PDB file of all heavy atoms in Angstrom:
ATOM      1  N   GLU A1578      -0.221 -17.295  -6.190  1.00  0.00           N
ATOM      2  CA  GLU A1578      -0.942 -17.328  -7.461  1.00  0.00           C
ATOM      3  C   GLU A1578      -1.803 -18.584  -7.570  1.00  0.00           C
ATOM      4  O   GLU A1578      -2.903 -18.548  -8.111  1.00  0.00           O
ATOM      5  CB  GLU A1578       0.053 -17.264  -8.628  1.00  0.00           C
ATOM      6  CG  GLU A1578       0.780 -15.939  -8.763  1.00  0.00           C
ATOM      7  CD  GLU A1578      -0.137 -14.806  -9.156  1.00  0.00           C
ATOM      8  OE1 GLU A1578      -1.175 -15.066  -9.808  1.00  0.00           O
ATOM      9  OE2 GLU A1578       0.170 -13.648  -8.800  1.00  0.00           O
ATOM     10  N   LEU A1581      -4.944 -17.971  -5.612  1.00  0.00           N
ATOM     11  CA  LEU A1581      -5.820 -16.970  -6.212  1.00  0.00           C
ATOM     12  C   LEU A1581      -6.664 -17.529  -7.347  1.00  0.00           C
ATOM     13  O   LEU A1581      -7.782 -17.067  -7.584  1.00  0.00           O
ATOM     14  CB  LEU A1581      -4.989 -15.796  -6.749  1.00  0.00           C
ATOM     15  CG  LEU A1581      -4.276 -14.925  -5.718  1.00  0.00           C
ATOM     16  CD1 LEU A1581      -3.503 -13.825  -6.421  1.00  0.00           C
ATOM     17  CD2 LEU A1581      -5.253 -14.335  -4.728  1.00  0.00           C
ATOM     18  N   GLN A1582      -6.141 -18.518  -8.040  1.00  0.00           N
ATOM     19  CA  GLN A1582      -6.835 -19.051  -9.211  1.00  0.00           C
ATOM     20  C   GLN A1582      -8.238 -19.551  -8.884  1.00  0.00           C
ATOM     21  O   GLN A1582      -9.160 -19.395  -9.685  1.00  0.00           O
ATOM     22  CB  GLN A1582      -6.007 -20.182  -9.839  1.00  0.00           C
ATOM     23  CG  GLN A1582      -4.752 -19.695 -10.529  1.00  0.00           C
ATOM     24  CD  GLN A1582      -3.933 -20.831 -11.094  1.00  0.00           C
ATOM     25  OE1 GLN A1582      -4.361 -21.999 -11.074  1.00  0.00           O
ATOM     26  NE2 GLN A1582      -2.742 -20.524 -11.592  1.00  0.00           N
ATOM     27  N   MET A1584     -10.195 -18.563  -6.355  1.00  0.00           N
ATOM     28  CA  MET A1584     -10.916 -17.681  -5.439  1.00  0.00           C
ATOM     29  C   MET A1584     -11.563 -16.533  -6.194  1.00  0.00           C
ATOM     30  O   MET A1584     -11.077 -16.085  -7.233  1.00  0.00           O
ATOM     31  CB  MET A1584      -9.954 -17.118  -4.380  1.00  0.00           C
ATOM     32  CG  MET A1584      -9.289 -18.169  -3.518  1.00  0.00           C
ATOM     33  SD  MET A1584      -8.128 -17.454  -2.323  1.00  0.00           S
ATOM     34  CE  MET A1584      -9.259 -16.594  -1.215  1.00  0.00           C
ATOM     35  N   ILE A1589     -10.883 -13.124  -1.875  1.00  0.00           N
ATOM     36  CA  ILE A1589      -9.528 -12.598  -1.713  1.00  0.00           C
ATOM     37  C   ILE A1589      -9.523 -11.470  -0.686  1.00  0.00           C
ATOM     38  O   ILE A1589      -8.647 -11.388   0.176  1.00  0.00           O
ATOM     39  CB  ILE A1589      -8.965 -12.110  -3.061  1.00  0.00           C
ATOM     40  CG1 ILE A1589      -8.768 -13.293  -4.007  1.00  0.00           C
ATOM     41  CG2 ILE A1589      -7.644 -11.365  -2.873  1.00  0.00           C
ATOM     42  CD1 ILE A1589      -8.425 -12.903  -5.414  1.00  0.00           C
ATOM     43  N   THR A1599      -2.216  -9.376  -3.383  1.00  0.00           N
ATOM     44  CA  THR A1599      -2.904  -8.973  -4.609  1.00  0.00           C
ATOM     45  C   THR A1599      -2.741  -7.484  -4.866  1.00  0.00           C
ATOM     46  O   THR A1599      -2.494  -7.058  -5.999  1.00  0.00           O
ATOM     47  CB  THR A1599      -4.394  -9.325  -4.520  1.00  0.00           C
ATOM     48  OG1 THR A1599      -4.536 -10.739  -4.323  1.00  0.00           O
ATOM     49  CG2 THR A1599      -5.123  -8.921  -5.789  1.00  0.00           C
ATOM     50  N   SER A1602       0.817  -6.859  -6.082  1.00  0.00           N
ATOM     51  CA  SER A1602       1.087  -7.361  -7.432  1.00  0.00           C
ATOM     52  C   SER A1602       0.263  -6.648  -8.494  1.00  0.00           C
ATOM     53  O   SER A1602       0.615  -6.658  -9.673  1.00  0.00           O
ATOM     54  CB  SER A1602       0.828  -8.870  -7.502  1.00  0.00           C
ATOM     55  OG  SER A1602      -0.541  -9.169  -7.276  1.00  0.00           O
ATOM     56  N   ALA A1603      -0.847  -6.007  -8.094  1.00  0.00           N
ATOM     57  CA  ALA A1603      -1.708  -5.318  -9.064  1.00  0.00           C
ATOM     58  C   ALA A1603      -1.310  -3.862  -9.269  1.00  0.00           C
ATOM     59  O   ALA A1603      -1.853  -3.199 -10.159  1.00  0.00           O
ATOM     60  CB  ALA A1603      -3.167  -5.386  -8.609  1.00  0.00           C
ATOM     61  N   LEU A1606      -0.146  -3.371 -12.744  1.00  0.00           N
ATOM     62  CA  LEU A1606      -1.293  -3.483 -13.658  1.00  0.00           C
ATOM     63  C   LEU A1606      -2.098  -2.186 -13.684  1.00  0.00           C
ATOM     64  O   LEU A1606      -2.515  -1.715 -14.750  1.00  0.00           O
ATOM     65  CB  LEU A1606      -2.208  -4.629 -13.217  1.00  0.00           C
ATOM     66  CG  LEU A1606      -1.793  -6.055 -13.580  1.00  0.00           C
ATOM     67  CD1 LEU A1606      -2.721  -7.059 -12.889  1.00  0.00           C
ATOM     68  CD2 LEU A1606      -1.812  -6.253 -15.083  1.00  0.00           C
ATOM     69  N   GLU A1643     -15.356  -5.431 -10.850  1.00  0.00           N
ATOM     70  CA  GLU A1643     -14.805  -6.448 -11.752  1.00  0.00           C
ATOM     71  C   GLU A1643     -15.584  -6.475 -13.071  1.00  0.00           C
ATOM     72  O   GLU A1643     -14.995  -6.581 -14.155  1.00  0.00           O
ATOM     73  CB  GLU A1643     -14.849  -7.813 -11.069  1.00  0.00           C
ATOM     74  CG  GLU A1643     -14.121  -8.902 -11.828  1.00  0.00           C
ATOM     75  CD  GLU A1643     -14.013 -10.192 -11.024  1.00  0.00           C
ATOM     76  OE1 GLU A1643     -14.559 -10.248  -9.897  1.00  0.00           O
ATOM     77  OE2 GLU A1643     -13.377 -11.140 -11.516  1.00  0.00           O
ATOM     78  N   LEU A1752      -6.940  -8.061 -20.938  1.00  0.00           N
ATOM     79  CA  LEU A1752      -6.351  -8.646 -19.737  1.00  0.00           C
ATOM     80  C   LEU A1752      -6.987  -9.995 -19.452  1.00  0.00           C
ATOM     81  O   LEU A1752      -8.133 -10.252 -19.822  1.00  0.00           O
ATOM     82  CB  LEU A1752      -6.562  -7.717 -18.532  1.00  0.00           C
ATOM     83  CG  LEU A1752      -6.005  -6.299 -18.658  1.00  0.00           C
ATOM     84  CD1 LEU A1752      -6.393  -5.470 -17.443  1.00  0.00           C
ATOM     85  CD2 LEU A1752      -4.487  -6.321 -18.824  1.00  0.00           C
ATOM     86  N   SER A1753      -6.234 -10.831 -18.766  1.00  0.00           N
ATOM     87  CA  SER A1753      -6.768 -12.138 -18.376  1.00  0.00           C
ATOM     88  C   SER A1753      -7.760 -11.965 -17.230  1.00  0.00           C
ATOM     89  O   SER A1753      -7.803 -10.921 -16.558  1.00  0.00           O
ATOM     90  CB  SER A1753      -5.629 -13.057 -17.940  1.00  0.00           C
ATOM     91  OG  SER A1753      -5.053 -12.597 -16.719  1.00  0.00           O
ATOM     92  N   ALA A1754      -8.544 -13.015 -16.997  1.00  0.00           N
ATOM     93  CA  ALA A1754      -9.517 -12.975 -15.897  1.00  0.00           C
ATOM     94  C   ALA A1754      -8.810 -12.786 -14.563  1.00  0.00           C
ATOM     95  O   ALA A1754      -9.308 -12.091 -13.664  1.00  0.00           O
ATOM     96  CB  ALA A1754     -10.350 -14.249 -15.898  1.00  0.00           C
ATOM     97  N   GLY A1755      -7.641 -13.406 -14.415  1.00  0.00           N
ATOM     98  CA  GLY A1755      -6.884 -13.266 -13.175  1.00  0.00           C
ATOM     99  C   GLY A1755      -6.396 -11.843 -12.968  1.00  0.00           C
ATOM    100  O   GLY A1755      -6.423 -11.324 -11.848  1.00  0.00           O
ATOM    101  N   GLU A1756      -5.935 -11.196 -14.034  1.00  0.00           N
ATOM    102  CA  GLU A1756      -5.470  -9.814 -13.928  1.00  0.00           C
ATOM    103  C   GLU A1756      -6.621  -8.874 -13.597  1.00  0.00           C
ATOM    104  O   GLU A1756      -6.464  -7.941 -12.794  1.00  0.00           O
ATOM    105  CB  GLU A1756      -4.797  -9.405 -15.238  1.00  0.00           C
ATOM    106  CG  GLU A1756      -3.452 -10.092 -15.479  1.00  0.00           C
ATOM    107  CD  GLU A1756      -2.900  -9.822 -16.867  1.00  0.00           C
ATOM    108  OE1 GLU A1756      -3.718  -9.664 -17.809  1.00  0.00           O
ATOM    109  OE2 GLU A1756      -1.669  -9.789 -17.013  1.00  0.00           O
ATOM    110  N   ILE A1757      -7.772  -9.100 -14.212  1.00  0.00           N
ATOM    111  CA  ILE A1757      -8.943  -8.266 -13.931  1.00  0.00           C
ATOM    112  C   ILE A1757      -9.383  -8.435 -12.484  1.00  0.00           C
ATOM    113  O   ILE A1757      -9.761  -7.469 -11.805  1.00  0.00           O
ATOM    114  CB  ILE A1757     -10.086  -8.612 -14.903  1.00  0.00           C
ATOM    115  CG1 ILE A1757      -9.720  -8.145 -16.306  1.00  0.00           C
ATOM    116  CG2 ILE A1757     -11.406  -7.987 -14.447  1.00  0.00           C
ATOM    117  CD1 ILE A1757     -10.707  -8.545 -17.370  1.00  0.00           C
ATOM    118  N   LYS A1758      -9.323  -9.652 -11.998  1.00  0.00           N
ATOM    119  CA  LYS A1758      -9.697  -9.918 -10.608  1.00  0.00           C
ATOM    120  C   LYS A1758      -8.760  -9.158  -9.654  1.00  0.00           C
ATOM    121  O   LYS A1758      -9.211  -8.557  -8.662  1.00  0.00           O
ATOM    122  CB  LYS A1758      -9.640 -11.423 -10.353  1.00  0.00           C
ATOM    123  CG  LYS A1758     -10.048 -11.839  -8.960  1.00  0.00           C
ATOM    124  CD  LYS A1758     -10.309 -13.349  -8.897  1.00  0.00           C
ATOM    125  CE  LYS A1758      -9.119 -14.149  -9.344  1.00  0.00           C
ATOM    126  NZ  LYS A1758      -9.366 -15.610  -9.249  1.00  0.00           N
ATOM    127  N   LYS A1759      -7.479  -9.176  -9.955  1.00  0.00           N
ATOM    128  CA  LYS A1759      -6.523  -8.438  -9.135  1.00  0.00           C
ATOM    129  C   LYS A1759      -6.808  -6.940  -9.172  1.00  0.00           C
ATOM    130  O   LYS A1759      -6.776  -6.258  -8.140  1.00  0.00           O
ATOM    131  CB  LYS A1759      -5.097  -8.701  -9.628  1.00  0.00           C
ATOM    132  CG  LYS A1759      -4.539 -10.065  -9.279  1.00  0.00           C
ATOM    133  CD  LYS A1759      -3.104 -10.179  -9.762  1.00  0.00           C
ATOM    134  CE  LYS A1759      -2.486 -11.503  -9.379  1.00  0.00           C
ATOM    135  NZ  LYS A1759      -1.077 -11.599  -9.810  1.00  0.00           N
ATOM    136  N   LEU A1760      -7.089  -6.415 -10.357  1.00  0.00           N
ATOM    137  CA  LEU A1760      -7.389  -4.987 -10.480  1.00  0.00           C
ATOM    138  C   LEU A1760      -8.649  -4.609  -9.711  1.00  0.00           C
ATOM    139  O   LEU A1760      -8.720  -3.538  -9.103  1.00  0.00           O
ATOM    140  CB  LEU A1760      -7.541  -4.615 -11.952  1.00  0.00           C
ATOM    141  CG  LEU A1760      -6.263  -4.283 -12.718  1.00  0.00           C
ATOM    142  CD1 LEU A1760      -6.568  -4.045 -14.187  1.00  0.00           C
ATOM    143  CD2 LEU A1760      -5.567  -3.058 -12.115  1.00  0.00           C
ATOM    144  N   ALA A1761      -9.650  -5.493  -9.742  1.00  0.00           N
ATOM    145  CA  ALA A1761     -10.882  -5.229  -9.006  1.00  0.00           C
ATOM    146  C   ALA A1761     -10.607  -5.100  -7.515  1.00  0.00           C
ATOM    147  O   ALA A1761     -11.131  -4.194  -6.848  1.00  0.00           O
ATOM    148  CB  ALA A1761     -11.906  -6.331  -9.276  1.00  0.00           C
ATOM    149  N   VAL A1762      -9.783  -5.988  -6.990  1.00  0.00           N
ATOM    150  CA  VAL A1762      -9.411  -5.917  -5.578  1.00  0.00           C
ATOM    151  C   VAL A1762      -8.650  -4.622  -5.302  1.00  0.00           C
ATOM    152  O   VAL A1762      -8.890  -3.923  -4.300  1.00  0.00           O
ATOM    153  CB  VAL A1762      -8.562  -7.149  -5.186  1.00  0.00           C
ATOM    154  CG1 VAL A1762      -7.988  -6.980  -3.780  1.00  0.00           C
ATOM    155  CG2 VAL A1762      -9.395  -8.416  -5.261  1.00  0.00           C
TER     156      VAL A1762
END
Side-chain angles (χ1 to χ4, degrees):
E1578 292 293 333
L1581 293 180
Q1582 289 178 6
M1584 299 178 69
I1589 293 171
T1599 301
S1602 64
L1606 281 172
E1643 188 172 3
L1752 302 175
S1753 68
E1756 290 172 328
I1757 291 175
K1758 182 165 57 179
K1759 286 183 177 182
L1760 275 175
V1762 171

